[in-house]
Structures are given as structure tokens and as C-alpha cells.
Amino acid sequence: MTQEQNGIKEMQQTVDTVSVLKPDERQRSRLDVLASHFRSRFNREPSFFVRVPGRVNLIGEHIDYCGYSVCPMAIEQDILVAVCKSEDDNALQLTNVDDKYQDYRHDALQEIRDLHLNEDGLGPTWHKYYLCGIKGALEVIPEEKQPRGILAAVWGNVPPNAGLSSSSALVSAALLATVHASQHTMSKEDMATVSARAERYIGTQGGGMDQAIAFLGKTGSAKLIEFNPLRSYDVSLPEGAVFVIAHSLVDHNKAATSDYNTRVLECRLAAQIIAKKMGIDWHQVQKLIDVQELLKKNLEDMSTIVMKELHEEPYDCEEINQILETTPEELKSISNVTYDPTRRLKLKQRALHVFQEAERVAAFQTVCQRKDMEELARMSQLGRLMSSSHSSLQNLYECSHPRIDALVTAAIDSGALGARLTGAGWGGCIIAIVSNENVEEFVNRLKKEFYQNDERANSLNLSSYVFQTEPKQGAAIYCSL
Ligand code: ADP
Ligand code: NG1
């Protein structure tokens, strides 16, 4: 593949690369633990460390893969990796401080490029996310620079399977570690693009939000992330607003079910059917944003078109073939739909969510910029947008979970100005906006309202499950402690 085919722009004179930083006190103590784990396993010193944060998405859920902008921020919780090139053999050796993740060895690092990671029937085990990052790296690093063997020790504290993007932090950390070990230079945007493509090897057709914020996150600012081309803009949040993440205690591994990919497919088919019905060449349409751009309509018009052109009842494959005038084979090759007569796809509901959520993202950004508006009014407006995002995810997109809905209700009852599911859903976390003078009372009430009656919470340290968050720095490299 040439660099261009890889989606990587020609290298410019000045490239905004991942910063080499000095760890702060808190990071240093975790890095010390990681370094000592590395030494105990490999009997040598790591030569550098990488840190990649998780993220929380404030608004813009399930729309990145439709081409629409989203508004996440990087969080404090992260994945750390200690790394050293191996002089002794050509293997990848992986270890994790957390012993629930087993050590892994692959004898020939170079072979990883050709592995098919989701075809062994063993599911998405942790080391496969690391392999995704290495595969991505080997596709873009010139052969003469590629490392022969690598030793890596991982340690993360992003709650896994909870919508805070632990998987993308891990894939991105593996990519960054391999690129840095090769002394290869890449911009943050190119890292994000390669990492998003690499994570799809696990089997989920993600849109790229998580990898973008992992590299482009900035202390003090949420980010508006735009796709095609990837761009990010600072979003200043109201000073009086505190964002609180709360875990529903329900895990959901995206790559272990077909829920996520089914939504991606429903959006693609909705886009193609709208295009066909509106008389444009649907073959060139893959995303809902494609059809909007071809029709030259605004988002509100697109919702009206959805209401008119798509029906409420689920579509089956036969009806889709009839509308698009395709055979099952053609539909497979153009839309990536495997014919299944029992399959029912809700196209109207999904498309409506996407266009309305994209409008909410734009409104969220506008409210953040409205310095002329009173602070509490701005925060209340942001809260309303977040809560309507949640009802849309619950009712139109059907990616919530009864415990998530109960947590959102408990958050509002405890004084939040708005709350919503964050991340892919079907479990995981919510994000709530709270005014800073109420935050302590809010957290105490939420603990009583939601966690006190859940026996799964009895043995947990709740401060890791309900916590304030603020925008943090994206990926970094540490060369010495
Ligand atoms: P998320 O919403 O957190 O990204 P996913 O279901 O996409 O959830 O991916 C979570 C998976 O990432 C975990 O099941 C595990 O395999 C891997 N993972 C997350 N954190 C770690 C970690 N600290 N060490 C090893 N693997 C991890
Ligand atoms: P998480 O929350 O990490 O499962 C997933 C996708 C995002 C985005 C959100 C929903 C991946 C790696 N991440 O995030 O791209 O679509 O769901 O908004 O697939």
C-alpha cells in the first residue's frame, strides 16, 4: 500500500506529533509499578513508555460512522505501555500487570501483519486489541525501519467494556508504541486514522471518534471532531459545569456481539434506500452524510425526508432487495448484507436518531460558545440536549439498557441538569452535567439512589464507579521517569 492508499497525507514540513512529556507525580508512581512488572517478566529495563487515555463522549452518539461530528473529551484514566525492542529474538512478548489478562507470545512479529484476528472463533481476547495496533503499525512503517521483536508490558485503569473506550486506548497505545520503537514519524491525525482502521480488525466497524480523541485530546477542552478529513476544534465547557461519569455495573463487550455492527448496517441501508427513493445513484452512498451531501439538504430537511420515505415497521432482506432492485449477491457486495430471511432492520428509527443527534451536537457547540448567555441557562440547555440524546438512544436507537435508564433517572432525581448514556451502550456508563456547587450532594445522592440497593455494588470501591471528570491531554510518550 502507498501512503496515499493508507489514507495518510503526504508528510508536511511541520508535523504535529505525539508529545514526549515528563510524567507527573501520579503517573510516575503507576509507571514505577509498570516498570517493575516489565523487569520481573523480561529481566531488563523498558526503553520508553506510552500513555493513551480513554474518553467520554459528551454528545454525538452512534453518528461518527455515519460521517457526523461528535464532541468527546479525553479522560484521566488511561492505558500505559512499557516497551523495549528485543535484541534476542523476533517475537512479540506481551504481559499485563493485571493478572486477569494472560501473558502472550507470538514468535514472529512480522507475521502479525497477515493475521486474521477475528476468524479463530476464540472471541476478542485482550491481546488481539494489541495485535490490531501492531498490524496497523506494520502497514505504515517502511520495512527497513520495522522492529524485529518487541517486549511490552501493559497496565490500564480505564473501566473496560463500559463505553469509555478502553479498547481504542489499548489499540492506539500498541500502535504508538510500535511506531515510536521504529523511530517513525507520524502526525496525530494520521495515528488516529491508522488506529481507527486497525481496530476494525477486531470485527467492529467503528467510526473513528475514540482513536481521534485519544490522539487529539487536550487538557481543558472538549473537542468537536469532524471526519473526512479528520479535524478537531476546541470546545470550552462552561466553567460552572462539572461532568460526572457513573457506571451502570453492566458490562458490554462490543466485539463479542453483533449489536454494534447491526446499527452500522441499518444506517448504511437507510442511507441507500433514501438515496434510491430520492432518485440519486445509491451505489455511491455508504453513509447517511453521503446522501445529505448529494441532496444538498440541511439536517432538519433530512429528518423530514426520513419521515416521508422510510416506514416504521422493520425491513426484511427481501423488501430491501425489492426497493434497491438487487439480487442477494449484489446487496452483499455493495452493502455488505448477508442474506438472512429472519433478519429485521429498523431503518427509519435509526436514521432519524442520526440526523437529530447530529443537530444536537451542533446545538451543543453553539451553546458552549454563547458567552452572552447566563451560565446556568447555558448549563441547563446543555443538560436538556444531553437528556434528549439519551431518550433518542433509548427509544429510536435501542442501544440502552434498563440499568442505564434507571441510572439516568437516578442522576436527574439527584440533581443533574441532564444525563445520557455515553459510548456504544447496551450497558456501560452515563455522563451527567451538574452545577459545581451541587456536585458533592449529587454524588452522595446518586450513590444512595442507585448503588445502595444493588448488591453488585456492595464489594466495590464506588469512587472508581462514580467520579468527576474533566478534559485531559491525549496520547503521550515518556522517555524517562
Ligand atoms: P470499551 O467500551 O471499554 O472500549 P470494548 O468492549 O470495546 O469496551 O473493549 C474492551 C476490551 O478491551 C476488554 O474486554 C479487554 O479485552 C480490552 N482491555 C481493556 N482494558 C484493558 C487492559 N487494561 N488490559 C488489557 N486489555 C484491556
Ligand atoms: P465505545 O464506547 O468505545 O464502545 C463505540 C465506537 C465509536 C462510536 C461509539 C458510539 C469503536 C472502537 N468505538 O465506542 O466509534 O461509534 O461506539 O458513539 O468502535
Side-chain angles (χ1 to χ4, degrees):
M1 262 197 262
T2 64
Q3 298 291 75
E4 199 101 330
Q5 286 164 330
N6 268 318
I8 295 180
K9 284 168 263 123
E10 272 296 296
M11 193 67 77
Q12 325 239 302
Q13 285 291 302
T14 51
V15 180
D16 184 17
T17 56
V18 172
S19 307
V20 177
L21 298 177
K22 263 187 160 301
D24 62 26
E25 274 312 304
R26 222 157 143 185
Q27 282 151 1
R28 190 190 304 258
S29 63
R30 286 179 60 227
L31 290 168
D32 282 339
V33 173
L34 181 60
S36 110
H37 182 79
F38 187 99
R39 269 182 237 113
S40 74
R41 281 292 191 283
F42 302 129
N43 205 19
R44 52 184 297 185
E45 290 294 325
S47 48
F48 67 94
F49 300 84
V50 300
R51 167 189 182 269
V52 179
R55 62 98 188 95
V56 63
N57 190 18
L58 298 178
I59 199 153
E61 217 63 82
H62 284 281
I63 62 172
D64 57 348
Y65 50 78
C66 299
Y68 288 105
S69 305
V70 293
C71 188
M73 63 194 195
I75 58 176
E76 184 179 332
Q77 289 80 356
D78 56 27
I79 299 278
L80 299 173
V81 188
V83 193
C84 186
K85 282 204 271 186
S86 162
E87 314 298 340
D88 318 328
D89 64 10
N90 296 336
L92 165 74
Q93 292 189 62
L94 266 185
T95 181
N96 198 308
V97 172
D98 188 338
D99 59 17
K100 81 173 177 219
Y101 301 115
Q102 283 169 12
D103 286 3
Y104 172 81
R105 178 186 167 96
H106 192 91
D107 282 338
L109 178 88
Q110 301 284 322
E111 277 177 7
I112 292 171
R113 185 178 171 160
D114 303 317
L115 292 181
H116 295 282
L117 296 176
N118 72 348
E119 288 177 7
D120 61 7
L122 297 176
T125 44
W126 83 278
H127 67 260
K128 288 190 189 165
Y129 292 92
Y130 203 95
L131 297 183
C132 284
I134 296 201
K135 250 170 98 68
L138 296 179
E139 283 168 3
V140 295
I141 301 168
E143 219 157 302
E144 65 281 5
K145 285 186 172 177
Q146 294 185 1
R148 300 286 89 151
I150 284 191
L151 308 175
V154 175
W155 194 23
N157 62 3
V158 185
N161 312 308
L164 300 180
S165 212
S166 66
S167 61
S168 304
L170 181 56
V171 173
S172 301
L175 170 71
L176 176 60
T178 315
V179 166
H180 189 69
S182 314
Q183 296 181 305
H184 184 55
T185 310
M186 279 170 76
S187 71
K188 291 179 186 173
E189 281 82 3
D190 287 347
M191 286 276 196
T193 303
V194 172
S195 181
R197 187 176 60 223
E199 188 163 347
R200 293 188 195 114
Y201 292 128
I202 207 79
T204 45
Q205 298 301 308
M209 157 170 67
D210 305 345
Q211 301 82 0
I213 192 68
F215 286 102
L216 301 168
K218 180 174 151 186
T219 307
S221 283
K223 287 280 185 175
L224 184 80
I225 309 272
E226 265 179 25
F227 302 97
N228 300 313
L230 181 60
R231 287 210 188 97
S232 71
Y233 305 91
D234 291 355
V235 175
S236 305
L237 301 167
E239 279 175 16
V242 176
F243 289 88
V244 176
I245 293 174
H247 198 306
S248 66
L249 309 183
V250 178
D251 285 355
H252 179 266
N253 183 296
K254 251 191 339 288
T257 73
S258 59
D259 298 331
Y260 185 87
N261 284 348
T262 299
R263 292 294 175 275
V264 179
L265 178 65
E266 287 172 320
C267 289
R268 186 185 310 129
L269 288 168
Q272 292 173 334
I273 289 181
I274 295 170
K276 176 82 166 67
K277 294 208 162 193
M278 299 296 289
I280 51 181
D281 178 11
W282 67 271
H283 297 85
Q284 44 172 325
V285 167
Q286 286 290 324
K287 295 180 179 158
L288 283 161
I289 202 169
D290 298 339
V291 73
Q292 186 196 354
E293 284 174 0
L294 287 165
L295 289 171
K296 299 192 174 51
K297 299 283 186 194
N298 64 30
L299 287 165
E300 208 181 326
D301 294 338
M302 290 312 296
S303 294
T304 311
I305 291 172
V306 169
M307 297 303 286
K308 187 160 164 267
E309 301 297 345
L310 299 178
H311 59 65
E312 195 86 16
E313 301 71 42
Y315 290 69
D316 61 22
C317 289
E318 205 172 308
E319 183 182 3
I320 294 167
N321 274 321
Q322 266 167 20
I323 299 173
L324 295 177
E325 300 178 77
T326 43
T327 61
E329 295 70 35
E330 282 163 348
L331 199 62
K332 168 85 186 123
S333 83
I334 308 168
S335 310
N336 200 13
V337 187
T338 309
Y339 189 84
D340 172 358
T342 63
R343 196 166 218 180
R344 298 290 175 270
L345 299 161
K346 294 193 181 176
L347 307 190
K348 178 179 189 174
Q349 296 85 333
R350 311 310 185 219
L352 202 55
H353 163 78
V354 170
F355 292 126
Q356 292 177 345
E357 182 77 351
E359 279 193 77
R360 281 187 285 269
V361 173
F364 192 93
Q365 191 207 11
T366 306
V367 174
C368 286
Q369 285 169 340
R370 287 279 307 272
K371 302 290 182 268
D372 58 318
M373 226 169 132
E374 205 239 318
E375 179 97 335
L376 185 60
R378 286 164 75 208
M379 295 190 322
S380 305
Q381 186 70 29
L382 296 180
R384 276 194 289 279
L385 288 165
M386 290 169 67
S387 292
S388 44
S389 165
H390 183 72
S391 2
S392 181
L393 292 164
Q394 181 184 358
N395 301 314
L396 291 176
Y397 224 69
E398 297 178 282
C399 63
S400 188
H401 183 282
R403 294 307 292 157
I404 285 279
D405 298 335
L407 186 50
V408 165
T409 304
I412 301 294
D413 292 347
S414 304
L417 297 164
R420 58 182 289 277
L421 156 69
T422 189
W426 296 282
C429 291
I430 67 157
I431 176 85
I433 179 171
V434 185
S435 139
N436 59 4
E437 64 256 26
N438 293 342
V439 70
E440 219 181 294
E441 193 191 335
F442 167 77
V443 170
N444 290 335
R445 280 180 64 182
L446 188 61
K447 284 181 181 166
K448 273 210 199 94
E449 290 262 340
F450 186 78
Y451 297 98
Q452 203 158 280
N453 301 324
D454 190 328
E455 59 186 34
R456 284 170 299 184
N458 289 343
S459 56
L460 301 174
N461 170 9
L462 277 189
S463 58
S464 313
Y465 290 82
V466 193
F467 50 89
Q468 292 183 37
T469 188
E470 52 193 47
K472 293 287 181 190
Q473 162 75 29
I477 298 165
Y478 306 118
C479 287
S480 57
L481 294 186

